[in-house]
């Protein structure tokens, strides 16, 4: 697995139901391929997540950092990092 850390893939596999009704991946290999295909990103802070979502066209004006962290496309990783998946 080259592009995403083992933690990213495990978190996505475990929590993908927060974004999708049906699983899009069942194995680490499928998860990594999906994350690469949808051009998911790992960001270092909630501020970066907010900037990324704004640049992607999401309306985040007035959202608190907690609301951004709770957004369905944001997956919380260890050490204050975030995986953003736009399904």
């Amino acid at each position: 697995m080259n592009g995403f850390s083992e933690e990213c893939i495990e978190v996505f596999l475990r929590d993908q139901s927060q974004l999708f009704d049906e699983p899009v991946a069942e194995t680490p290999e499928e998860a990594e391929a999906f994350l690469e295909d949808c051009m998911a990103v790992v960001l270092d802070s909630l501020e970066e997540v907010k900037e990324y979502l704004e640049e992607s066209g999401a309306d985040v004006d007035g959202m608190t950092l907690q609301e951004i962290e709770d957004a369905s496309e944001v997956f919380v990783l260890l050490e204050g990092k975030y995986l953003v998946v736009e399904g």
Side-chain angles (χ1 to χ4, degrees):
M1 289 179 234
N2 309 345
F4 294 93
S5 71
E6 191 174 312
E7 178 197 8
C8 283
I9 292 168
E10 288 175 10
V11 167
F12 179 75
L13 280 171
R14 182 189 68 220
D15 297 337
Q16 63 183 309
S17 64
Q18 77 186 33
L19 188 56
F20 303 104
D21 292 334
E22 299 286 325
V24 295
E26 295 182 11
T27 66
E29 294 78 15
E30 290 175 347
E32 183 173 36
F34 178 83
L35 294 173
E36 288 173 355
D37 286 348
C38 74
M39 297 173 33
V41 296
V42 175
L43 301 167
D44 293 326
S45 70
L46 275 175
E47 289 295 333
E48 286 184 24
V49 171
K50 184 175 183 176
E51 289 172 18
Y52 177 82
L53 292 174
E54 285 175 340
E55 290 172 8
S56 297
D59 183 14
V60 294
D61 286 339
M63 289 181 73
T64 66
L65 292 179
Q66 184 63 50
E67 289 170 328
I68 290 170
E69 182 176 281
D70 293 341
S72 61
E73 65 270 17
V74 178
F75 294 78
V76 180
L77 305 174
L78 294 177
E79 299 177 18
K81 293 185 185 270
Y82 299 88
L83 172 66
V84 179
V85 179
E86 297 189 74

